[in-house]
Amino acid sequence: MRIIFMGTPEFAVPVLDALAEAGHDVVAAYSQPPRRGNRGKTAPSPVHARAEALGIEVRTPLSFRDAEAQAAFAALGADVAVVAAYGLILPRSVLEAPRLGCLNVHGSLLPRWRGAAPIQRAILAGDAETGVGIMQMEAGLDTGPVRLEGRTPVNDKTAGELTAELSAMGARLMVEVLGDVDAYPAVPQPEDGVTYAAKIDKAEARLDFTRTADEVERQVRAFNPAPGAFFEVHGERVRVHAAAVLAERGEIGTVIDDQLTIACSEGAIRPILVQRAGRGVMTSAELLRGFTIPVGTRL
């Protein structure tokens, strides 16, 4: 099948790889333009880099608002466009240009968690289950009918772990659908149960000990690996990569023992893996050997 691929982050790379491995003709890859990274260097997106390695032409328009970009897309004569976390709004002319339209790999069980951050929002909300859907795109925000979906328990997975799992699942499902599109009719989403997954604000990563311990622990998992959940002490940010929930009680936001257990509104959390700025990941015991946080410290 003649395919245009549209994606930007690491989540989309396994989907691109699966299309190439299945023998499809990926005629072009669209990705967001190279961005300046943490060290000030401009770098291509993960999809951009992978597509170039596969010998696929890469296009990085800033938008599809102008007629020239839309015409260039249509001129590729694709059977279908496969979209995975691309990050740009596609106008109707683009959605309808390929013979079979545009199919999106979306990381939730629609209509729950339409929008930018479905995986993190599912963890934060304490969802027991999530998944990935192959959605026929239309003009609304993730409102299109779904051709196929897969499910998985959330359990104690981090956003990074769940992203990798759903990416691989989405890649398999997309190849399955493209193998016989007619066998997977587009089923409209239910009208009930719609929720929206707003983009993650970095300020949300600050641990909020006025919440229950379960909710705080979900913050830790939802923001691992990025932007990274944290608390501040001695004027320094300490990132928390993993934490345990305990039944202990104490003054909210206060360290209640010599193992860095922190009281929440209900229960307490004990950070297991932490990281100071400019340092590697370490256990809480390793942190406390060189960075004293006395019992009674309010975070």
Side-chain angles (χ1 to χ4, degrees), residues 17-256:
D17 283 339
L19 297 177
E21 290 169 7
H24 292 291
D25 181 14
V26 183
V27 296
Y30 280 77
S31 192
Q32 290 203 34
R35 299 261 171 92
R36 194 177 299 277
N38 294 334
R39 298 184 179 181
K41 295 183 178 180
T42 300
S45 73
V47 164
H48 186 152
R50 183 58 183 152
E52 285 190 336
L54 292 170
I56 298 168
E57 176 194 352
V58 179
R59 299 182 179 184
T60 58
L62 294 173
S63 77
F64 281 93
R65 293 173 186 162
D66 62 274
E68 184 178 349
Q70 296 174 27
F73 181 89
L76 289 167
D79 293 308
V80 67
V82 171
V83 184
Y86 179 36
L88 288 183
I89 295 173
L90 304 182
R92 187 176 298 278
S93 61
V94 169
L95 294 174
E96 296 177 351
R99 179 174 62 87
L100 297 172
C102 298
L103 293 176
N104 177 245
V105 180
H106 184 77
S108 79
L109 298 174
L110 292 165
R112 187 162 177 79
W113 302 127
R114 295 173 178 172
I119 295 172
Q120 292 92 335
R121 296 298 174 195
I123 294 173
L124 287 170
D127 289 2
E129 183 181 50
T130 190
V132 65
I134 306 302
M135 181 191 71
Q136 188 78 45
M137 295 179 70
E138 57 182 34
L141 176 63
D142 298 329
T143 58
V146 177
R147 291 185 177 272
L148 184 62
E149 70 178 15
R151 295 169 176 264
T152 187
V154 174
N155 293 334
D156 59 354
K157 299 165 189 171
T158 66
E161 292 166 342
L162 203 49
T163 295
E165 181 180 355
L166 294 182
S167 174
M169 183 185 295
R172 293 194 302 272
L173 296 184
M174 181 61 77
V175 169
E176 187 174 341
V177 169
L178 293 177
D180 187 357
V181 176
D182 292 338
Y184 299 96
V187 178
Q189 296 180 31
E191 294 183 3
D192 295 332
V194 175
T195 59
Y196 290 94
K199 184 178 179 180
I200 299 298
D201 188 317
K202 289 184 179 180
E204 294 181 74
R206 179 189 291 272
L207 293 177
D208 182 359
F209 301 113
T210 65
R211 299 181 179 182
T212 68
D214 285 331
E215 291 173 318
V216 173
E217 191 274 337
R218 293 202 296 264
Q219 276 186 282
V220 172
R221 289 188 288 112
F223 302 132
N224 180 352
F230 69 92
F231 62 82
E232 290 188 345
V233 62
H234 307 327
E236 183 176 329
R237 283 190 179 188
V238 176
R239 289 183 61 171
V240 181
H241 292 268
V245 174
L246 303 176
E248 276 80 356
R249 302 175 65 179
E251 185 178 352
I252 294 173
T254 299
V255 177
I256 58 175

